[in-house]
mmCIF file of all heavy atoms in Angstrom:
data_model
loop_
_atom_site.group_PDB
_atom_site.id
_atom_site.type_symbol
_atom_site.label_atom_id
_atom_site.label_comp_id
_atom_site.label_asym_id
_atom_site.label_seq_id
_atom_site.Cartn_x
_atom_site.Cartn_y
_atom_site.Cartn_z
ATOM 1 N N ILE A 550 16.817 -45.882 -8.216
ATOM 2 C CA ILE A 550 17.161 -44.500 -7.945
ATOM 3 C C ILE A 550 18.028 -44.455 -6.695
ATOM 4 O O ILE A 550 17.874 -45.286 -5.780
ATOM 5 C CB ILE A 550 15.888 -43.628 -7.773
ATOM 6 C CG1 ILE A 550 16.254 -42.148 -7.697
ATOM 7 C CG2 ILE A 550 15.076 -44.077 -6.564
ATOM 8 C CD1 ILE A 550 15.039 -41.225 -7.777
ATOM 9 N N SER A 551 18.978 -43.520 -6.659
ATOM 10 C CA SER A 551 19.843 -43.338 -5.494
ATOM 11 C C SER A 551 19.464 -42.063 -4.761
ATOM 12 O O SER A 551 19.365 -40.997 -5.370
ATOM 13 C CB SER A 551 21.314 -43.242 -5.925
ATOM 14 O OG SER A 551 21.761 -44.452 -6.473
ATOM 15 N N LEU A 552 19.254 -42.204 -3.469
ATOM 16 C CA LEU A 552 19.027 -41.070 -2.577
ATOM 17 C C LEU A 552 20.285 -40.874 -1.742
ATOM 18 O O LEU A 552 21.083 -41.805 -1.571
ATOM 19 C CB LEU A 552 17.827 -41.331 -1.662
ATOM 20 C CG LEU A 552 16.509 -41.689 -2.342
ATOM 21 C CD1 LEU A 552 15.490 -42.151 -1.304
ATOM 22 C CD2 LEU A 552 15.974 -40.510 -3.127
ATOM 23 N N TYR A 553 20.457 -39.677 -1.179
ATOM 24 C CA TYR A 553 21.653 -39.382 -0.396
ATOM 25 C C TYR A 553 21.247 -38.834 0.961
ATOM 26 O O TYR A 553 20.397 -37.946 1.063
ATOM 27 C CB TYR A 553 22.558 -38.405 -1.152
ATOM 28 C CG TYR A 553 23.075 -39.009 -2.440
ATOM 29 C CD1 TYR A 553 22.341 -38.890 -3.616
ATOM 30 C CD2 TYR A 553 24.243 -39.749 -2.454
ATOM 31 C CE1 TYR A 553 22.784 -39.484 -4.790
ATOM 32 C CE2 TYR A 553 24.700 -40.343 -3.619
ATOM 33 C CZ TYR A 553 23.967 -40.204 -4.787
ATOM 34 O OH TYR A 553 24.409 -40.809 -5.936
ATOM 35 N N LEU A 554 21.846 -39.409 2.012
ATOM 36 C CA LEU A 554 21.457 -39.091 3.388
ATOM 37 C C LEU A 554 22.640 -38.566 4.192
ATOM 38 O O LEU A 554 23.799 -38.852 3.893
ATOM 39 C CB LEU A 554 20.927 -40.334 4.112
ATOM 40 C CG LEU A 554 19.847 -41.200 3.475
ATOM 41 C CD1 LEU A 554 19.471 -42.312 4.448
ATOM 42 C CD2 LEU A 554 18.643 -40.384 3.094
ATOM 43 N N SER A 555 22.292 -37.860 5.248
ATOM 44 C CA SER A 555 23.226 -37.533 6.322
ATOM 45 C C SER A 555 22.630 -38.083 7.607
ATOM 46 O O SER A 555 21.424 -38.023 7.814
ATOM 47 C CB SER A 555 23.398 -36.022 6.437
ATOM 48 O OG SER A 555 24.070 -35.678 7.636
ATOM 49 N N GLY A 556 23.482 -38.642 8.478
ATOM 50 C CA GLY A 556 23.012 -39.066 9.795
ATOM 51 C C GLY A 556 22.527 -40.489 9.884
ATOM 52 O O GLY A 556 21.724 -40.811 10.759
ATOM 53 N N ALA A 557 23.050 -41.379 9.012
ATOM 54 C CA ALA A 557 22.594 -42.779 9.034
ATOM 55 C C ALA A 557 23.314 -43.612 10.082
ATOM 56 O O ALA A 557 22.970 -44.780 10.281
ATOM 57 C CB ALA A 557 22.767 -43.410 7.657
ATOM 58 N N GLY A 558 24.328 -43.061 10.738
ATOM 59 C CA GLY A 558 24.957 -43.751 11.855
ATOM 60 C C GLY A 558 26.104 -44.663 11.453
ATOM 61 O O GLY A 558 26.695 -44.542 10.378
ATOM 62 N N ALA A 559 26.407 -45.601 12.338
ATOM 63 C CA ALA A 559 27.592 -46.451 12.213
ATOM 64 C C ALA A 559 27.498 -47.386 11.007
ATOM 65 O O ALA A 559 26.409 -47.728 10.533
ATOM 66 C CB ALA A 559 27.783 -47.257 13.485
ATOM 67 N N THR A 560 28.673 -47.799 10.547
ATOM 68 C CA THR A 560 28.753 -48.681 9.383
ATOM 69 C C THR A 560 29.624 -49.892 9.701
ATOM 70 O O THR A 560 30.380 -49.906 10.676
ATOM 71 C CB THR A 560 29.361 -47.957 8.176
ATOM 72 O OG1 THR A 560 30.701 -47.555 8.500
ATOM 73 C CG2 THR A 560 28.535 -46.745 7.785
ATOM 74 N N THR A 561 29.515 -50.897 8.839
ATOM 75 C CA THR A 561 30.424 -52.034 8.890
ATOM 76 C C THR A 561 30.925 -52.321 7.481
ATOM 77 O O THR A 561 30.113 -52.443 6.562
ATOM 78 C CB THR A 561 29.761 -53.281 9.495
ATOM 79 O OG1 THR A 561 30.747 -54.331 9.563
ATOM 80 C CG2 THR A 561 28.571 -53.759 8.704
ATOM 81 N N PRO A 562 32.236 -52.373 7.255
ATOM 82 C CA PRO A 562 33.279 -52.042 8.241
ATOM 83 C C PRO A 562 33.189 -50.583 8.666
ATOM 84 O O PRO A 562 32.541 -49.781 8.004
ATOM 85 C CB PRO A 562 34.574 -52.335 7.474
ATOM 86 C CG PRO A 562 34.208 -52.175 6.045
ATOM 87 C CD PRO A 562 32.803 -52.661 5.928
ATOM 88 N N SER A 563 33.848 -50.251 9.748
ATOM 89 C CA SER A 563 33.768 -48.900 10.296
ATOM 90 C C SER A 563 34.339 -47.885 9.318
ATOM 91 O O SER A 563 35.397 -48.109 8.712
ATOM 92 C CB SER A 563 34.536 -48.815 11.619
ATOM 93 O OG SER A 563 33.957 -49.672 12.579
ATOM 94 N N ALA A 564 33.616 -46.789 9.152
ATOM 95 C CA ALA A 564 34.089 -45.705 8.306
ATOM 96 C C ALA A 564 35.157 -44.914 9.056
ATOM 97 O O ALA A 564 35.133 -44.814 10.287
ATOM 98 C CB ALA A 564 32.934 -44.804 7.918
ATOM 99 N N ALA A 565 36.071 -44.337 8.315
ATOM 100 C CA ALA A 565 37.150 -43.549 8.912
ATOM 101 C C ALA A 565 36.831 -42.073 8.750
ATOM 102 O O ALA A 565 36.491 -41.615 7.654
ATOM 103 C CB ALA A 565 38.477 -43.881 8.247
ATOM 104 N N ASP A 566 36.955 -41.311 9.828
ATOM 105 C CA ASP A 566 36.615 -39.891 9.802
ATOM 106 C C ASP A 566 37.354 -39.167 8.688
ATOM 107 O O ASP A 566 38.593 -39.216 8.595
ATOM 108 C CB ASP A 566 36.957 -39.239 11.140
ATOM 109 C CG ASP A 566 36.068 -39.698 12.273
ATOM 110 O OD1 ASP A 566 34.980 -40.236 11.994
ATOM 111 O OD2 ASP A 566 36.453 -39.509 13.445
ATOM 112 N N GLY A 567 36.602 -38.497 7.855
ATOM 113 C CA GLY A 567 37.178 -37.629 6.841
ATOM 114 C C GLY A 567 37.751 -38.315 5.624
ATOM 115 O O GLY A 567 38.177 -37.648 4.676
ATOM 116 N N ARG A 568 37.783 -39.650 5.579
ATOM 117 C CA ARG A 568 38.394 -40.353 4.465
ATOM 118 C C ARG A 568 37.440 -40.433 3.283
ATOM 119 O O ARG A 568 36.225 -40.606 3.446
ATOM 120 C CB ARG A 568 38.781 -41.772 4.857
ATOM 121 C CG ARG A 568 39.758 -41.898 6.004
ATOM 122 C CD ARG A 568 41.126 -41.363 5.706
ATOM 123 N NE ARG A 568 41.757 -41.982 4.530
ATOM 124 C CZ ARG A 568 42.970 -41.663 4.088
ATOM 125 N NH1 ARG A 568 43.671 -40.723 4.708
ATOM 126 N NH2 ARG A 568 43.473 -42.261 3.042
ATOM 127 N N LEU A 569 37.990 -40.303 2.091
ATOM 128 C CA LEU A 569 37.219 -40.593 0.899
ATOM 129 C C LEU A 569 37.164 -42.104 0.729
ATOM 130 O O LEU A 569 38.176 -42.801 0.911
ATOM 131 C CB LEU A 569 37.861 -39.945 -0.331
ATOM 132 C CG LEU A 569 38.053 -38.427 -0.293
ATOM 133 C CD1 LEU A 569 38.550 -37.929 -1.648
ATOM 134 C CD2 LEU A 569 36.774 -37.712 0.103
ATOM 135 N N VAL A 570 35.992 -42.603 0.407
ATOM 136 C CA VAL A 570 35.779 -44.052 0.332
ATOM 137 C C VAL A 570 36.218 -44.539 -1.045
ATOM 138 O O VAL A 570 35.533 -44.302 -2.053
ATOM 139 C CB VAL A 570 34.309 -44.402 0.595
ATOM 140 C CG1 VAL A 570 34.099 -45.908 0.519
ATOM 141 C CG2 VAL A 570 33.875 -43.872 1.952
ATOM 142 N N THR A 571 37.370 -45.219 -1.087
ATOM 143 C CA THR A 571 37.941 -45.632 -2.373
ATOM 144 C C THR A 571 38.274 -47.108 -2.441
ATOM 145 O O THR A 571 38.785 -47.583 -3.457
ATOM 146 C CB THR A 571 39.215 -44.824 -2.662
ATOM 147 O OG1 THR A 571 40.150 -45.016 -1.595
ATOM 148 C CG2 THR A 571 38.906 -43.340 -2.800
ATOM 149 N N THR A 572 38.012 -47.843 -1.376
ATOM 150 C CA THR A 572 38.340 -49.267 -1.370
ATOM 151 C C THR A 572 37.122 -50.092 -1.014
ATOM 152 O O THR A 572 36.154 -49.594 -0.431
ATOM 153 C CB THR A 572 39.463 -49.564 -0.365
ATOM 154 O OG1 THR A 572 39.024 -49.205 0.958
ATOM 155 C CG2 THR A 572 40.724 -48.777 -0.708
ATOM 156 N N THR A 573 37.153 -51.346 -1.350
ATOM 157 C CA THR A 573 36.096 -52.282 -0.986
ATOM 158 C C THR A 573 36.623 -53.184 0.133
ATOM 159 O O THR A 573 37.838 -53.360 0.280
ATOM 160 C CB THR A 573 35.680 -53.124 -2.195
ATOM 161 O OG1 THR A 573 36.834 -53.797 -2.709
ATOM 162 C CG2 THR A 573 35.048 -52.258 -3.265
ATOM 163 N N PRO A 574 35.743 -53.776 0.948
ATOM 164 C CA PRO A 574 34.284 -53.659 0.859
ATOM 165 C C PRO A 574 33.810 -52.273 1.290
ATOM 166 O O PRO A 574 34.416 -51.646 2.159
ATOM 167 C CB PRO A 574 33.776 -54.733 1.813
ATOM 168 C CG PRO A 574 34.873 -54.852 2.847
ATOM 169 C CD PRO A 574 36.151 -54.642 2.075
ATOM 170 N N LEU A 575 32.728 -51.809 0.680
ATOM 171 C CA LEU A 575 32.171 -50.512 1.037
ATOM 172 C C LEU A 575 31.547 -50.576 2.423
ATOM 173 O O LEU A 575 30.835 -51.531 2.750
ATOM 174 C CB LEU A 575 31.104 -50.111 0.023
ATOM 175 C CG LEU A 575 31.567 -49.854 -1.414
ATOM 176 C CD1 LEU A 575 30.359 -49.612 -2.305
ATOM 177 C CD2 LEU A 575 32.514 -48.678 -1.473
ATOM 178 N N PRO A 576 31.777 -49.560 3.249
ATOM 179 C CA PRO A 576 31.085 -49.506 4.546
ATOM 180 C C PRO A 576 29.570 -49.417 4.341
ATOM 181 O O PRO A 576 29.103 -48.546 3.600
ATOM 182 C CB PRO A 576 31.640 -48.229 5.188
ATOM 183 C CG PRO A 576 32.941 -47.972 4.499
ATOM 184 C CD PRO A 576 32.738 -48.449 3.091
ATOM 185 N N GLN A 577 28.843 -50.314 4.962
ATOM 186 C CA GLN A 577 27.390 -50.309 4.836
ATOM 187 C C GLN A 577 26.746 -49.987 6.184
ATOM 188 O O GLN A 577 27.292 -50.315 7.243
ATOM 189 C CB GLN A 577 26.890 -51.651 4.299
ATOM 190 C CG GLN A 577 27.413 -51.940 2.907
ATOM 191 C CD GLN A 577 26.635 -53.037 2.201
ATOM 192 O OE1 GLN A 577 25.407 -53.141 2.345
ATOM 193 N NE2 GLN A 577 27.338 -53.860 1.436
ATOM 194 N N VAL A 578 25.591 -49.336 6.123
ATOM 195 C CA VAL A 578 24.899 -48.883 7.325
ATOM 196 C C VAL A 578 24.459 -50.092 8.142
ATOM 197 O O VAL A 578 23.869 -51.038 7.608
ATOM 198 C CB VAL A 578 23.688 -48.010 6.944
ATOM 199 C CG1 VAL A 578 22.879 -47.641 8.178
ATOM 200 C CG2 VAL A 578 24.156 -46.759 6.212
ATOM 201 N N ILE A 579 24.757 -50.069 9.429
ATOM 202 C CA ILE A 579 24.390 -51.183 10.306
ATOM 203 C C ILE A 579 22.894 -51.188 10.606
ATOM 204 O O ILE A 579 22.240 -52.238 10.585
ATOM 205 C CB ILE A 579 25.194 -51.107 11.619
ATOM 206 C CG1 ILE A 579 26.689 -51.324 11.343
ATOM 207 C CG2 ILE A 579 24.675 -52.123 12.630
ATOM 208 C CD1 ILE A 579 27.573 -51.116 12.546
ATOM 209 N N ALA A 580 22.334 -50.027 10.892
ATOM 210 C CA ALA A 580 20.911 -49.938 11.247
ATOM 211 C C ALA A 580 20.036 -50.245 10.031
ATOM 212 O O ALA A 580 20.423 -49.952 8.897
ATOM 213 C CB ALA A 580 20.587 -48.553 11.789
ATOM 214 N N PRO A 581 18.856 -50.821 10.245
ATOM 215 C CA PRO A 581 17.967 -51.103 9.112
ATOM 216 C C PRO A 581 17.471 -49.820 8.456
ATOM 217 O O PRO A 581 17.093 -48.866 9.138
ATOM 218 C CB PRO A 581 16.814 -51.875 9.752
ATOM 219 C CG PRO A 581 16.858 -51.531 11.206
ATOM 220 C CD PRO A 581 18.294 -51.283 11.517
ATOM 221 N N VAL A 582 17.526 -49.796 7.135
ATOM 222 C CA VAL A 582 17.074 -48.650 6.357
ATOM 223 C C VAL A 582 15.849 -49.064 5.558
ATOM 224 O O VAL A 582 15.871 -50.068 4.846
ATOM 225 C CB VAL A 582 18.182 -48.151 5.400
ATOM 226 C CG1 VAL A 582 17.675 -46.987 4.554
ATOM 227 C CG2 VAL A 582 19.421 -47.742 6.189
ATOM 228 N N LYS A 583 14.781 -48.304 5.691
ATOM 229 C CA LYS A 583 13.550 -48.575 4.966
ATOM 230 C C LYS A 583 13.136 -47.346 4.178
ATOM 231 O O LYS A 583 13.328 -46.208 4.634
ATOM 232 C CB LYS A 583 12.433 -48.998 5.916
ATOM 233 C CG LYS A 583 12.709 -50.308 6.655
ATOM 234 C CD LYS A 583 11.551 -50.705 7.560
ATOM 235 C CE LYS A 583 11.857 -52.023 8.271
ATOM 236 N NZ LYS A 583 10.720 -52.432 9.166
ATOM 237 N N VAL A 584 12.562 -47.577 3.011
ATOM 238 C CA VAL A 584 12.135 -46.491 2.139
ATOM 239 C C VAL A 584 10.730 -46.766 1.654
ATOM 240 O O VAL A 584 10.400 -47.904 1.280
ATOM 241 C CB VAL A 584 13.084 -46.338 0.933
ATOM 242 C CG1 VAL A 584 12.600 -45.228 0.003
ATOM 243 C CG2 VAL A 584 14.511 -46.049 1.393
ATOM 244 N N THR A 585 9.896 -45.751 1.676
ATOM 245 C CA THR A 585 8.588 -45.837 1.021
ATOM 246 C C THR A 585 8.517 -44.757 -0.053
ATOM 247 O O THR A 585 9.048 -43.660 0.109
ATOM 248 C CB THR A 585 7.430 -45.643 2.010
ATOM 249 O OG1 THR A 585 7.505 -44.335 2.585
ATOM 250 C CG2 THR A 585 7.458 -46.687 3.112
ATOM 251 N N ILE A 586 7.889 -45.100 -1.146
ATOM 252 C CA ILE A 586 7.646 -44.163 -2.235
ATOM 253 C C ILE A 586 6.146 -44.145 -2.482
ATOM 254 O O ILE A 586 5.543 -45.200 -2.708
ATOM 255 C CB ILE A 586 8.409 -44.568 -3.510
ATOM 256 C CG1 ILE A 586 9.917 -44.588 -3.235
ATOM 257 C CG2 ILE A 586 8.091 -43.616 -4.660
ATOM 258 C CD1 ILE A 586 10.757 -45.102 -4.392
ATOM 259 N N ASP A 587 5.545 -42.984 -2.350
ATOM 260 C CA ASP A 587 4.087 -42.859 -2.444
ATOM 261 C C ASP A 587 3.399 -43.774 -1.433
ATOM 262 O O ASP A 587 2.332 -44.320 -1.690
ATOM 263 C CB ASP A 587 3.622 -43.174 -3.866
ATOM 264 C CG ASP A 587 2.172 -42.736 -4.124
ATOM 265 O OD1 ASP A 587 1.741 -41.748 -3.487
ATOM 266 O OD2 ASP A 587 1.494 -43.372 -4.949
ATOM 267 N N GLY A 588 4.054 -43.939 -0.277
ATOM 268 C CA GLY A 588 3.497 -44.753 0.794
ATOM 269 C C GLY A 588 3.684 -46.243 0.628
ATOM 270 O O GLY A 588 3.285 -47.014 1.503
ATOM 271 N N LYS A 589 4.313 -46.685 -0.458
ATOM 272 C CA LYS A 589 4.510 -48.105 -0.728
ATOM 273 C C LYS A 589 5.959 -48.471 -0.459
ATOM 274 O O LYS A 589 6.881 -47.748 -0.838
ATOM 275 C CB LYS A 589 4.116 -48.434 -2.163
ATOM 276 C CG LYS A 589 2.640 -48.201 -2.457
ATOM 277 C CD LYS A 589 2.304 -48.455 -3.911
ATOM 278 C CE LYS A 589 0.795 -48.359 -4.131
ATOM 279 N NZ LYS A 589 0.240 -47.059 -3.741
ATOM 280 N N SER A 590 6.163 -49.629 0.168
ATOM 281 C CA SER A 590 7.509 -50.068 0.511
ATOM 282 C C SER A 590 8.328 -50.307 -0.747
ATOM 283 O O SER A 590 7.855 -50.932 -1.705
ATOM 284 C CB SER A 590 7.459 -51.347 1.342
ATOM 285 O OG SER A 590 6.848 -51.093 2.596
ATOM 286 N N ALA A 591 9.559 -49.814 -0.720
ATOM 287 C CA ALA A 591 10.472 -49.995 -1.839
ATOM 288 C C ALA A 591 11.610 -50.913 -1.406
ATOM 289 O O ALA A 591 12.041 -50.890 -0.246
ATOM 290 C CB ALA A 591 11.020 -48.656 -2.294
ATOM 291 N N VAL A 592 12.113 -51.725 -2.327
ATOM 292 C CA VAL A 592 13.228 -52.610 -2.034
ATOM 293 C C VAL A 592 14.512 -51.788 -1.980
ATOM 294 O O VAL A 592 14.840 -51.052 -2.917
ATOM 295 C CB VAL A 592 13.349 -53.708 -3.100
ATOM 296 C CG1 VAL A 592 14.607 -54.553 -2.862
ATOM 297 C CG2 VAL A 592 12.112 -54.594 -3.087
ATOM 298 N N VAL A 593 15.218 -51.906 -0.868
ATOM 299 C CA VAL A 593 16.505 -51.233 -0.703
ATOM 300 C C VAL A 593 17.598 -52.219 -1.102
ATOM 301 O O VAL A 593 17.786 -53.246 -0.447
ATOM 302 C CB VAL A 593 16.708 -50.754 0.738
ATOM 303 C CG1 VAL A 593 18.098 -50.141 0.915
ATOM 304 C CG2 VAL A 593 15.635 -49.746 1.121
ATOM 305 N N SER A 594 18.322 -51.915 -2.186
ATOM 306 C CA SER A 594 19.374 -52.822 -2.659
ATOM 307 C C SER A 594 20.730 -52.491 -2.065
ATOM 308 O O SER A 594 21.634 -53.323 -2.066
ATOM 309 C CB SER A 594 19.446 -52.792 -4.185
ATOM 310 O OG SER A 594 19.803 -51.494 -4.646
#
Side-chain angles (χ1 to χ4, degrees):
I550 188 170
S551 294
L552 305 170
Y553 296 88
L554 309 183
S555 168
T560 62
T561 183
S563 298
D566 291 341
R568 301 294 303 180
L569 302 187
V570 180
T571 58
T572 61
T573 57
L575 295 174
Q577 297 197 37
V578 175
I579 294 174
V582 178
K583 296 182 180 180
V584 178
T585 62
I586 300 175
D587 194 30
K589 297 176 174 58
S590 295
V592 174
V593 176
S594 63

